[in-house]
Amino acid sequence: MGTGNSRRRLALAACALSGSLVAGATTFGVASAASVPSAASVSAAQETTLRVKMSGSGVDTLNPFLAFFNGALDIFGSIYPTLNLLDENGRPGPYLAESWTPSEDKLTWTFKLRDGLKWSDGKPITAEDAAWTLNLIMTDTVAGTANGSLVGNFESVTAPDPATLVIKTKAPQANVVYVSIPISGIPIVPKHVWEPRAKNLKDAKNDTFPVVGYGPWTLTDYKPEQYAKFDANEDFVLGRPGFDHMIQQSFKSTDAAVAALRSGQLDYINAVNPTQFKALRADKSLLTAQEVGNGWTGVEVNHNARTRTGKKIGTGHPALGDPVLRRAISLATDRKTLVTKVLDGMGVVGSGYLPPAWPQWSWKPAAGQETPFDLAQAGKILDDAGYTKGADGVRVDPKSGRPLELRLGIHSDDTTDAGISTYLKGWLETIGIKLKIQTLSMSALNSDLAKGDWDLLMDGWTTGPDPTYLLGIQTCATLPKDDGTGGNTDAFFCDETYDELFKKQLTTFDQDERAKVVAEMQDILYKADVDQIHFYANTLDVARTDTVTGLITGQPDAQGMYPAQTAFWSYLKAAPPAAAPAAASAGEDSGGGRLWIGAGVLLLALVAGGIVLRRRSGAGDRE
């Protein structure tokens, strides 16, 4: 499902250069099929269970203050509430908050919260829970690890009474109502549960089940790299889910997931690869759908790993600090070939930092300013800069004297990364750069990223309709502290002009004017060649028509492309074929009042690759 903001490192939608479908029973993830809870084991015979493939990124942690991966964000969107939801046009609608009013100077926002909602342990949900959550992120470096950039402009957050939340900002902020939305925004947690954990937040596991929360689902069990199990919230304000239970199953590969789908052990897969999609498309018992890309895939360049104080860290090759070398790498990358060969044409050539799912922010370089695929030009600018070739054909950095031998980290379980790396290795060797491919797990890759122990990394991010989070990870404020905490950086990018524009877009309420500022920011990133965007992959979804309906929302365009989907709404609206979805009908809440939320709500906003509104994806949706 698409939409997220992914730092979650984007485990890209496991798209493959080639791949075979696995027939028959296959091992699930790291667990055997026998170890996976069956529908019978989790529900009575008359009850129903939705069985879906977990986001390819997996779950890095169940701690909502620290998590980056799409798999974790998907879980949080299901079990924790937010102040707002999004409608099918990406506009904010009610969730915990029934209404919100900005002051005339746009510095104070007053939210009126619903009365009578309760956490899953029976305690009332109040404005104090929201105020405590936001204040902790604002004041605690560890708590702000994942979402600190979203509240960087907040001056204060108070709860004058149980039904009123007041947010004051340092400067007018255009996206206040996008700060707390499912998956791509800040989840509100129960203060009475998390306040005791705040003293040692970095070690808080949040693995006592059932997890206390409030959302369409309650998390009742989780086994790392195996599965997450949920029960439907019978009292959910938007109507209970159409299924009684849900299991999100982890798989080592999409081949294994496809085998499970075909054998009836799985109902839905978000993000298969193109080879699998074409084969499954011919099966009349399956529903196949393509979503417009809401995330990018590309290479991150470690050009200057450092902390906020400027302290150098990591083992990155020093030559990558030279913009000439970075431009040569970009010139030597044939993005059209990657779309054609790796994605089998099911994607769009990349350039801007924000994906085509959100056309209001989409950007391309001006005519004549695009970086072409030109091996001759790449070689020439390296020659001119003094990168001479040795006897082995590998160029040498004129400043450090080191050969241009670079490490490229790829996800060990991602066929897209493998396909891209093969092409990159050949192209770069043509211009005198030797590439060593290092296959790493999602956790190892992200660990190395924070330490700066890498040269080049395959990566990807997804995002929702508000670009603040994704743009924010490129600001200087996301560099790590000297003690290694607090960092949510992407490639250690830090630019004063970019930072000023980031602040400006936050305070620009006219969308057309804001888009111009966002375009300037993307232009800076494009020219820096620190995040080299290869493509925006279409997300390829497959569901069994005999076991589930209602998963895919919205209408396809003339090319057959559906809007970016979101796990929140898809899993809430999904139901057995014989039953109508139990969730509130379009635009109505359980009390009959208008909610401003269409049946496809959030279509535009939340998850990528497998269900996430922002954050890094994983191997099935990319890190």
Side-chain angles (χ1 to χ4, degrees):
M1 277 172 177
T3 297
N5 263 344
S6 267
R7 194 183 191 178
R8 290 25 231 285
R9 302 222 60 145
L10 283 181
L12 273 190
C15 298
L17 176 61
S18 63
S20 59
L21 297 176
V22 178
T26 305
T27 301
F28 293 77
V30 297
S32 67
S35 70
V36 179
S38 66
S41 69
V42 297
S43 61
Q46 72 274 19
E47 294 186 323
T48 57
T49 299
L50 175 65
R51 302 155 299 173
V52 303
K53 176 184 176 294
M54 183 179 288
S55 167
S57 65
V59 176
D60 48 340
T61 173
L62 290 178
N63 184 328
F65 295 99
L66 307 180
F68 292 120
F69 291 3
N70 281 352
L73 300 178
D74 177 30
I75 289 176
F76 301 148
S78 296
I79 68 172
Y80 287 122
T82 52
L83 292 177
N84 295 96
L85 282 173
L86 297 175
D87 69 14
E88 69 269 19
N89 296 310
R91 295 186 299 256
Y95 190 172
L96 284 185
E98 289 186 303
S99 64
W100 46 93
T101 307
S103 60
E104 187 174 347
D105 62 6
K106 300 293 194 299
L107 291 173
T108 301
W109 292 73
T110 302
F111 291 79
K112 289 297 182 181
L113 272 59
R114 297 176 187 273
D115 184 40
L117 300 184
K118 295 181 179 180
W119 296 108
S120 56
D121 64 358
K123 295 186 181 297
I125 301 174
T126 71
E128 182 58 30
D129 293 301
W132 184 85
T133 300
L134 296 174
N135 274 301
L136 186 66
I137 295 172
M138 291 163 56
T139 59
D140 185 282
T141 301
V142 174
T145 298
N147 294 305
S149 64
L150 295 178
V151 297
N153 185 48
F154 282 15
E155 180 68 39
S156 65
V157 182
T158 57
D161 63 64
T164 305
L165 182 76
V166 179
I167 297 175
K168 293 186 177 181
T169 59
K170 300 171 186 176
Q173 183 167 329
N175 77 325
V176 170
V177 290
Y178 288 93
V179 166
S180 180
I181 56 176
I183 303 178
S184 65
I186 295 173
I188 303 303
V189 301
K191 176 183 177 182
H192 65 280
V193 172
W194 281 91
E195 190 169 36
R197 301 173 178 175
K199 297 178 181 179
N200 193 23
L201 194 61
K202 65 182 178 63
D203 295 322
K205 304 300 183 184
N206 196 28
D207 57 359
T208 299
F209 304 105
V211 172
V212 178
Y214 179 84
W217 305 89
T218 298
L219 182 64
T220 59
D221 193 15
Y222 168 71
K223 292 292 186 294
E225 298 185 329
Q226 294 186 44
Y227 61 83
K229 190 176 75 171
F230 307 79
D231 286 349
N233 179 359
E234 301 288 341
D235 300 316
F236 188 52
V237 67
L238 301 180
R240 61 152 286 166
F243 282 88
D244 301 305
H245 309 280
M246 176 171 65
I247 293 175
Q248 294 182 14
Q249 178 63 41
S250 176
F251 292 85
K252 279 186 175 180
S253 69
T254 51
D255 275 346
V258 166
L261 183 78
R262 287 188 151 180
S263 67
Q265 299 176 68
L266 198 63
D267 302 310
Y268 172 71
I269 303 176
N270 171 243
V272 297
N273 67 49
T275 300
Q276 294 163 336
F277 187 78
K278 287 187 174 182
L280 295 172
R281 188 160 63 178
D283 189 333
K284 301 303 181 183
S285 68
L286 301 175
L287 169 68
T288 55
Q290 292 193 58
E291 304 172 31
V292 63
N294 74 326
W296 56 260
T297 299
V299 162
E300 292 174 352
V301 181
N302 184 359
H303 71 299
N304 187 17
R306 64 202 184 286
T307 66
R308 295 179 196 178
T309 64
K311 177 185 176 182
K312 292 277 189 178
I313 58 174
T315 58
H317 197 298
L320 291 172
D322 183 358
V324 172
L325 176 57
R326 300 199 299 273
R327 176 50 53 92
I329 293 172
S330 186
L331 284 166
T333 303
D334 186 351
R335 292 162 177 80
K336 290 182 179 179
T337 290
L338 294 179
V339 170
T340 301
K341 299 296 185 180
V342 177
L343 296 182
D344 202 4
M346 296 182 184
V348 179
V349 169
S351 55
Y353 192 63
L354 300 174
W358 320 118
Q360 65 269 42
W361 311 120
S362 186
W363 172 90
K364 291 182 179 180
Q369 298 299 310
E370 308 96 334
T371 302
F373 172 57
D374 193 331
L375 293 173
Q377 177 64 12
K380 182 178 186 305
I381 65 173
L382 290 176
D383 288 338
D384 293 345
Y387 291 91
T388 58
K389 288 185 177 180
D392 58 358
V394 177
R395 294 180 185 271
V396 176
D397 174 18
K399 293 183 178 180
S400 68
R402 290 176 52 180
L404 293 187
E405 297 179 350
L406 306 178
R407 301 161 292 175
L408 172 63
I410 68 172
H411 298 82
S412 57
D413 53 354
D414 192 341
T415 52
T416 298
D417 282 10
I420 292 173
S421 65
T422 299
Y423 283 100
L424 288 181
K425 183 177 177 64
W427 291 327
L428 294 187
E429 287 183 354
T430 299
I431 63 171
I433 299 174
K434 185 176 181 180
L435 210 57
K436 179 181 179 181
I437 310 301
Q438 297 181 329
T439 56
L440 303 168
S441 67
M442 278 283 291
S443 58
L445 189 150
N446 280 277
S447 176
D448 285 353
L449 186 146
K451 299 173 184 176
D453 290 333
W454 52 281
D455 297 322
L456 308 173
L457 286 181
M458 288 302 309
D459 199 8
W461 288 77
T462 57
T463 185
D466 182 76
T468 302
Y469 181 89
L470 197 57
L471 294 172
I473 63 174
Q474 299 293 351
T475 61
C476 300
T478 61
L479 294 177
K481 297 175 66 175
D482 284 353
D483 63 3
T485 64
N488 183 23
T489 187
D490 185 293
F492 298 96
F493 186 76
C494 177
D495 180 272
E496 291 183 3
T497 301
Y498 180 92
D499 277 15
E500 289 303 313
L501 290 171
F502 178 76
K503 295 176 183 176
K504 184 177 180 180
Q505 65 86 25
L506 263 182
T507 61
T508 302
F509 283 75
D510 181 275
Q511 181 166 293
D512 291 338
E513 291 302 313
R514 188 182 180 201
K516 292 178 182 178
V517 179
V518 170
E520 290 184 63
M521 299 172 71
Q522 294 187 79
D523 184 61
I524 290 174
L525 292 174
Y526 186 75
K527 292 175 179 175
D529 287 317
V530 172
D531 280 273
Q532 299 187 12
I533 313 300
H534 291 161
F535 51 65
Y536 318 106
N538 301 342
T539 301
L540 310 176
D541 303 327
V542 186
R544 293 188 64 93
T545 56
D546 60 338
T547 59
V548 63
T549 186
L551 277 167
I552 307 299
T553 55
Q555 296 298 317
D557 61 18
Q559 286 71 48
M561 298 294 297
Y562 281 84
Q565 303 290 298
T566 163
F568 179 91
W569 285 105
S570 290
Y571 295 166
L572 175 61
K573 297 290 184 179
S585 61
E588 296 186 9
D589 65 15
S590 57
R594 295 296 294 177
L595 266 192
W596 319 345
I597 302 174
V601 200
L602 218 50
L603 269 189
L604 298 172
L606 306 178
V607 206
I611 308 169
V612 184
L613 252 193
R614 93 145 128 38
R615 277 53 169 166
R616 267 187 161 126
S617 317
D621 40 45
R622 185 160 240 79
E623 199 189 40

Short mmCIF file of all heavy atoms in Angstrom, two decimals, residues 481-501:
data_model
loop_
_atom_site.label_atom_id
_atom_site.label_comp_id
_atom_site.label_asym_id
_atom_site.label_seq_id
_atom_site.Cartn_x
_atom_site.Cartn_y
_atom_site.Cartn_z
N LYS A 481 23.72 13.45 17.09
CA LYS A 481 24.52 14.14 18.12
C LYS A 481 25.84 13.40 18.27
O LYS A 481 26.02 12.30 17.75
CB LYS A 481 23.75 14.16 19.44
CG LYS A 481 22.44 14.95 19.37
CD LYS A 481 21.65 14.85 20.66
CE LYS A 481 22.36 15.53 21.82
NZ LYS A 481 21.53 15.52 23.05
N ASP A 482 26.77 13.99 18.99
CA ASP A 482 28.08 13.37 19.15
C ASP A 482 27.99 12.01 19.84
O ASP A 482 28.86 11.15 19.62
CB ASP A 482 29.00 14.29 19.96
CG ASP A 482 29.52 15.46 19.14
OD1 ASP A 482 29.27 15.49 17.92
OD2 ASP A 482 30.14 16.36 19.72
N ASP A 483 26.94 11.81 20.66
CA ASP A 483 26.83 10.52 21.35
C ASP A 483 26.08 9.48 20.50
O ASP A 483 25.80 8.38 20.96
CB ASP A 483 26.12 10.68 22.70
CG ASP A 483 24.69 11.19 22.56
OD1 ASP A 483 24.21 11.36 21.43
OD2 ASP A 483 24.06 11.43 23.61
N GLY A 484 25.75 9.85 19.26
CA GLY A 484 25.11 8.92 18.34
C GLY A 484 23.60 8.91 18.40
O GLY A 484 22.96 8.21 17.62
N THR A 485 22.99 9.68 19.29
CA THR A 485 21.54 9.69 19.41
C THR A 485 20.93 10.83 18.61
O THR A 485 21.61 11.76 18.20
CB THR A 485 21.11 9.84 20.89
OG1 THR A 485 21.54 11.13 21.38
CG2 THR A 485 21.70 8.74 21.74
N GLY A 486 19.61 10.73 18.44
CA GLY A 486 18.85 11.84 17.87
C GLY A 486 18.87 11.98 16.37
O GLY A 486 18.16 12.81 15.82
N GLY A 487 19.68 11.22 15.67
CA GLY A 487 19.81 11.42 14.23
C GLY A 487 18.76 10.68 13.41
O GLY A 487 18.50 9.51 13.67
N ASN A 488 18.17 11.35 12.46
CA ASN A 488 17.26 10.71 11.50
C ASN A 488 17.66 11.17 10.11
O ASN A 488 16.83 11.43 9.26
CB ASN A 488 15.81 11.08 11.80
CG ASN A 488 14.84 10.37 10.88
OD1 ASN A 488 15.15 9.34 10.31
ND2 ASN A 488 13.65 10.95 10.71
N THR A 489 18.96 11.32 9.91
CA THR A 489 19.45 11.82 8.63
C THR A 489 19.34 10.76 7.55
O THR A 489 19.18 9.57 7.82
CB THR A 489 20.92 12.27 8.75
OG1 THR A 489 21.33 12.91 7.54
CG2 THR A 489 21.83 11.08 9.03
N ASP A 490 19.41 11.23 6.32
CA ASP A 490 19.33 10.34 5.18
C ASP A 490 20.74 10.05 4.66
O ASP A 490 21.19 8.91 4.67
CB ASP A 490 18.48 10.99 4.09
CG ASP A 490 18.24 10.08 2.92
OD1 ASP A 490 19.23 9.79 2.23
OD2 ASP A 490 17.10 9.67 2.68
N ALA A 491 21.44 11.10 4.24
CA ALA A 491 22.79 10.94 3.71
C ALA A 491 23.71 12.03 4.25
O ALA A 491 24.63 12.46 3.57
CB ALA A 491 22.77 10.95 2.18
N PHE A 492 23.44 12.48 5.48
CA PHE A 492 24.25 13.51 6.14
C PHE A 492 24.24 14.82 5.37
O PHE A 492 25.19 15.59 5.43
CB PHE A 492 25.68 13.01 6.35
CG PHE A 492 25.77 11.80 7.23
CD1 PHE A 492 25.82 10.52 6.70
CD2 PHE A 492 25.75 11.93 8.62
CE1 PHE A 492 25.87 9.40 7.52
CE2 PHE A 492 25.81 10.82 9.44
CZ PHE A 492 25.87 9.55 8.90
N PHE A 493 23.15 15.08 4.65
CA PHE A 493 23.03 16.34 3.92
C PHE A 493 22.76 17.46 4.91
O PHE A 493 21.99 17.32 5.85
CB PHE A 493 21.90 16.25 2.90
CG PHE A 493 21.80 17.46 2.01
CD1 PHE A 493 22.69 17.64 0.97
CD2 PHE A 493 20.82 18.42 2.22
CE1 PHE A 493 22.61 18.75 0.14
CE2 PHE A 493 20.73 19.54 1.40
CZ PHE A 493 21.62 19.70 0.35
N CYS A 494 23.39 18.62 4.68
CA CYS A 494 23.20 19.79 5.53
C CYS A 494 23.55 21.02 4.72
O CYS A 494 24.68 21.18 4.27
CB CYS A 494 24.08 19.70 6.78
SG CYS A 494 23.98 21.13 7.88
N ASP A 495 22.55 21.89 4.51
CA ASP A 495 22.74 23.07 3.67
C ASP A 495 21.92 24.21 4.25
O ASP A 495 20.70 24.08 4.43
CB ASP A 495 22.32 22.76 2.23
CG ASP A 495 22.48 23.94 1.30
OD1 ASP A 495 21.53 24.75 1.20
OD2 ASP A 495 23.54 24.05 0.68
N GLU A 496 22.55 25.34 4.56
CA GLU A 496 21.85 26.45 5.21
C GLU A 496 20.71 27.00 4.36
O GLU A 496 19.63 27.32 4.87
CB GLU A 496 22.84 27.56 5.55
CG GLU A 496 23.83 27.19 6.65
CD GLU A 496 24.74 28.33 7.01
OE1 GLU A 496 24.56 29.44 6.46
OE2 GLU A 496 25.63 28.13 7.87
N THR A 497 20.94 27.13 3.07
CA THR A 497 19.88 27.65 2.19
C THR A 497 18.69 26.71 2.18
O THR A 497 17.53 27.14 2.24
CB THR A 497 20.42 27.84 0.75
OG1 THR A 497 21.51 28.76 0.77
CG2 THR A 497 19.32 28.37 -0.16
N TYR A 498 18.97 25.43 2.10
CA TYR A 498 17.90 24.42 2.12
C TYR A 498 17.12 24.54 3.43
O TYR A 498 15.88 24.49 3.44
CB TYR A 498 18.50 23.03 1.97
CG TYR A 498 17.48 21.91 1.99
CD1 TYR A 498 16.93 21.43 0.81
CD2 TYR A 498 17.07 21.32 3.19
CE1 TYR A 498 15.99 20.39 0.81
CE2 TYR A 498 16.13 20.29 3.21
CZ TYR A 498 15.60 19.84 2.02
OH TYR A 498 14.67 18.83 2.04
N ASP A 499 17.83 24.68 4.55
CA ASP A 499 17.16 24.77 5.85
C ASP A 499 16.24 25.99 5.92
O ASP A 499 15.13 25.92 6.48
CB ASP A 499 18.20 24.84 6.97
CG ASP A 499 18.70 23.46 7.37
OD1 ASP A 499 18.47 22.49 6.61
OD2 ASP A 499 19.33 23.35 8.44
N GLU A 500 16.67 27.10 5.37
CA GLU A 500 15.83 28.30 5.38
C GLU A 500 14.58 28.09 4.54
O GLU A 500 13.48 28.53 4.91
CB GLU A 500 16.62 29.51 4.86
CG GLU A 500 17.69 30.00 5.82
CD GLU A 500 17.11 30.37 7.18
OE1 GLU A 500 16.08 31.09 7.21
OE2 GLU A 500 17.66 29.92 8.21
N LEU A 501 14.73 27.41 3.41
CA LEU A 501 13.58 27.12 2.57
C LEU A 501 12.64 26.13 3.26
O LEU A 501 11.41 26.21 3.10
CB LEU A 501 14.03 26.55 1.22
CG LEU A 501 14.74 27.54 0.29
CD1 LEU A 501 15.35 26.80 -0.90
CD2 LEU A 501 13.76 28.62 -0.19
#
